[in-house]
Amino acid sequence: MGENKRKAGRELAKRKMGKSNKRQKQHSDFKTLDKRKKKRLGGPRLPTGLRRELDRVNHTNSDGEDDEIVSDEEKDVYEYEEGVPEEESRKNRRFDPVENYEYELPEKFEDEDVPSDDDENDFGGGKNESSMVESDDAEEEDDERHVRMLQGITGMPNEVFLGKKKKRNIIVSEAYPESEYNPSGDILDGRGHISVEDLLDPLHGKSGYSQLRKRVHQMARKPMTIHAPLPKVVQEKLERKAVYEQTKKDITKWEPLVKRNREAPTIIFEKDVNLGFSTVGAIASEFEPRTDFEKKIAGLVYDEKVIEAHNEDGSRLLELNKVTVEDYRSQRNHIAKLRSLLFHHEMKKKRIKKIKSKTYHRLAKKDRLKATSAEMEMDPEAAKEQAMKQEFKRAEERMTLKHKNKSKWAKRILKRGIPTQDDGTRAAISEQLHQHTLLTRKMKSMKDGSSSSDGSSDDSSDEEDVDENLDSSNQDTKLLERAKEKTLKVLEEDDDEPNSGVLSLPFMVRGMKKRKEAAVEEAKLALKEYETSLNQLDDLDSSKDSKIGAAAGGRRVFGAAKHVPELSSKIEVDNDYSDSDRDDDLGGENVEVGNASINELPKEGVSNLYSLLHDRDLEMHQDSAVKFDNIVEPGPKVPGEVAIFASGKWKKIKSGSEVDTNVKRSSKVVEPVSRSENLEMKTTNVVDANVKQFPKVVEPVSQIENLKEVVDDSDTDSEGQMVDGILSSGMKATYEIPSQADLIRHAFAGDDVEEEFVKDKDDILNEENPEPEKPVLLPGWGQWTNIQKKKGLPSWMLKEHENAKKKREEVLKKRKDAHLKHVIISEKLDKKAEKLHTKALPYPFTSKEVFEQSIRMPIGPEFNPATAVGALTRPEVVKRPGVIIKPIKFEEVDSFEKTEDRKRNAPKRKTNKNKHRLKPVVAKS
Amino acid sequence: MEISEELDAPEVKKFLRGKAPNLEVLQDKKLKGQLSVREEFYGISAKAAAKAAKWLMPSEGGFLEAEGLEKTWRIKQEAIAKEVDVLSSRNQYDIVLPDLGPYTVDFTSSGRYMAVAGRKGHLAIVDMQNMNLIREMQVRETVRDAVFLHNELFFAAAQKKYTYIYNRDGTELHCLREHGAVLKLQFLKNHFLLASINKFGQLHYQDVTTGEMIGNFRTGLGRTNVMEVNPFNGVVALGHSGGTVTMWKPSAVNPLVKMLCHHGAVSAMAFHPNGHLMATSGKERKIKLWDLRKFEVLQTLPGHAKTLDFSQKGLLAAGTGSYVQIFRETESQNYSRYMGHSMAKGYQIGKVSFRPYEDVLGIGHSMGWSSILIPGSGEPNFDSWVANPFETPKQRREKEVHSLLDKLPPETIMLDPSKIGTVRPSKKKEKPTKQEREANKEAAVEAAKGITMKKKTKGRSKPSKISKKKQDNILRAKRPFLEQQTHEEMSKKQKLISENKEELPVSLQRFASKKPKS
């Protein structure tokens, strides 16, 4: 320890050496004596002889020495010193440097032990001491001498110096003053004693002294051993433990508070927190000038004079805003001018926008021409008009000669001579001339067409009055005739052949001939066609004429035919409205087909139609010969409630009744109308045999009405009789007893329904859990001998089958409809609805029942009164934005409040208490 | 009347919607605490609701009470008319329109407006409050049915070929071609679905907000015009000619329930507003009341009905011929005769429909439509958030938006909608069959073969090494399958052993493991 300190001192000195050279110079003058002494003591460990020599030399030198020399010498000595291996090792820092740093030289060190500030001396001293401690008795002589010398000088007793020296000898580097904590060397040596009394004496008269003394006495009387202090780690651990216990006790006071907060459904953080100003105005109103500048400004702004002046002259200042009439006028005029300018500009723009380019016009014209030409082709009327226009234009052109170089421009150009003009002008001139020719040309083709059409129209105009339809047919004939003429002409023209040129070559001639022949063939065919069609048309016309003629005359023969157009139109009307009830469009189509056929086949005559109808009816007749008894008695047949059943069970009967009507009709009605109706009936599955119809059937119109009815009935299903009830005005259809057949049908309707349903259910069950297959014996498998064969199927097979069956039954038993014979409940999982269920139990829940019951109550505002919704939907923490949540503050909470509440039985619980308990906790923040 | 504070009181219990969960089974204290707090909130809410119901729904529905030998069904409409106030007596009338065929009627959910459709193309909307004809039109086509959509602004009419949607002014808005020739229409107002059954027995669901076709199912049970919506869960029920009733939802191709209700064809059907009771009538002259929770017959009433309807208070109207009969639930939970009304002779009733929030029954028949008073049929107190007969246009608009926001997706239609939000029913996940397992294994092996090797240096990409790696990959792919197989086998063995052990007497058990297995 001591060594360490010394070493540290030396090192410090060494480090300081270079720096403190100059300081040394300053100090050396008045501290030479000490230095000398130190020099003698310091230095390397030398043999005493040598040391003495050195001392002497030093003495002589130091008398009048220069500091430089001394230092040099010292350096020399130092170098020498380094040679010592022990010192060397120390210098190499073999000791822990940290320890060295820990050591600090106290301020008193220098004062006490080393009088000079010089490190060199200090170093030397230290050195000396160390050497002394080690074992140099020779030194003691010197010391004694020194003491003696000191005694001589100071006149103080020897002991003082000796003691000092002694002390210095033992622990010279001790840095602390002598005290009870730092006993002096004597005591350590065992030479001097410090008793407890010594230590106590200084405390005499202070508080607690008597106690201390008493304790000391006690201890003295009854001596006991004191254990060695525990290791630091353990000590600290114990300390921590104690602290923990303490804090634990301390922290329990928070428990009820925290518990309350935890259990509260909602924690509200202090509602009335001042969040500061909400508006700029509020902030501004609170503004107080603080800095000099602000104060100055405020002083100016709130200067009384200024305010006063403002108050007084405010109105006068406003007067400046007055506008003179002239100013106003000028301004208004300016605005008007601008507006008009804008308007003109707009108009201009509009006009410019309307202007189209040359190409646009050209294209437009082309389009227009195309359109007119197309129109001309399509519409003779338009063509006529066009021709008129053309004629007018031609007349105008011929009168004015506008395009025949009459214009000023054209004249000028002609005057200057055409060849001198550029291409563009020439083209323009020629274009103009072309225009003229075009305009003045007599429109021969048009004229011809119009004249011919005139002729025809003359013809047709008469006919138009009679029948417009004829006009079209006439046109057709005309077209055909023209085509015929043309083909004939072509045929005639064919004869002339080219006599010269390439075409006269023999092979060409041959080819031409061939082609011509083909063409002639074609033409002939076409001719034939034309002729046949012409003939047909003629026939048609004649027949029509005859019909029209006949209409006036004989009613009997052509009566039906006469009614045809009327009828068809009527039926069409029906289609619009009343037919709408038909089951499907088939009926409508049929009717139309019927009409069409009537139109198309007028020649075939009614008889043909009749026979056709009859045939069909006869067929049906044969089909349902059994049902004839029904037909025979046409008495008070019930139109009653006969529902249409979609199921096939009813089909037979239905067809029967259908035939009923058909047959009845066929016997009476000979007109095509009935046929159409018949068709109708066929398509619409009418069961209702309406007897009331019969007497009226003669009149076609009434029949149509009936038809309408029937058709209506067709869709009203079982409501059929209802409509009858309304529409047949004569006899109100009241409820009539259903026929026997109907009753029977109703009675036995559901006989097989049950079976069907059971079968259905079985099918569905089998689809989900198919029945196990019956074990089949495969020859050669699982059996080898006859004996086994006699035994039958192997037992494992049977067992397997049995098991499968059992399994199936179990599964079926688990179904919801297992015990419900007449119900099939689908067990299929709806994949789309899966998202409406939770996949697994949500976290804190462990029981499915509890979870499902806990979500049974809706919490929305639609399902709860407004007073309760808030509590149900309030979030766990309510906090206004901007509120700073401060740490929890201690407050007294009655921890037993809740438990008490729980213990109370139900009737005692008042809403008041409940409310109190369920109140959200308001946390003071 | 004092509402007791107890949670057990019937008024309060109604609003608690069932029992509270048993919290004792819970281990988690925190959850327990949370749930108990919740339950208390529920209790408070239920009490408040009971109080609100007491103060805000003061009127109670009345009904006819007979004295002595008097029978309620003998009381005629004329007798009622004498007793009731003027406003109510205005609800007794016959509108005679003989020309345009049998009429059907449909009310809006608030009962304020009525849509009338005559078979011969006559469509009309009537404001029932002031008997004001809002719009009348002639579509010149058969009209088989007409229903209101979510409010009186729109209604759908099933016409000859297609179904059309008109607005209140009679403007045609849409032509629904996909539905075909529809026989009967129903509107599901919570789901905004228009359900229709057409001539070919096809059931269509169309979302009227988006126009999307939600479902198109072939019933395969023939033509029918008996269709009703269960107001409780939105399930559409169809009555068929075979006497069966099928129940459908838009997300399933097969019917949810198929039940044989009658031996004859089902002619009419109706659902109680609470959804647990269904009335059907068959051609074999029986009216049956079904409990839909158990799918069992509760009661069989004699008689035939062409049309049935339940009122809000649970009265059942059955119309046949020109006679309407009303049944009412007695104390013994049975429906019995309550009232009757016969129309003029020859009137054929096509449709009966109770007017919501009024004691009025609308009857559509062959000669127009009629309205009679049935005391105790309608809910006396209306909730303006649900259906407001005195709705202003502004309220209507707001409600339209609200109801659109609250529109339920079609998947929510199920037999028991209270199951929504609960834990998903466990799928009966069967073990993969041997073949499937084989196929899986094959696929895994193929995938392992397909892995391309990285090119590596220093001889690690030698063909021999690569082939070895490939082999390893394949083995690794196979491994889980093999492991599973062995595991299964092991478990099977264990099971067998344990079974055997159980069977064997104690003295022989020690031989059990040594015994060879068959």
Side-chain angles (χ1 to χ4, degrees), chain A residues 506-521:
Chain A
F507 67 92
M508 287 298 268
V509 170
R510 248 179 286 140
M512 290 279 275
K513 242 183 194 170
K514 255 187 191 169
R515 233 185 285 166
K516 212 179 283 168
E517 268 168 17
V520 166
E521 205 86 276

Side-chain angles (χ1 to χ4, degrees), chain A residues 24-33 35 67:
Chain A
Q24 279 174 13
K25 244 189 250 168
Q26 287 170 357
H27 288 286
S28 58
D29 290 327
F30 45 89
K31 284 175 184 169
T32 34
L33 192 117
K35 222 191 273 172
D67 278 297

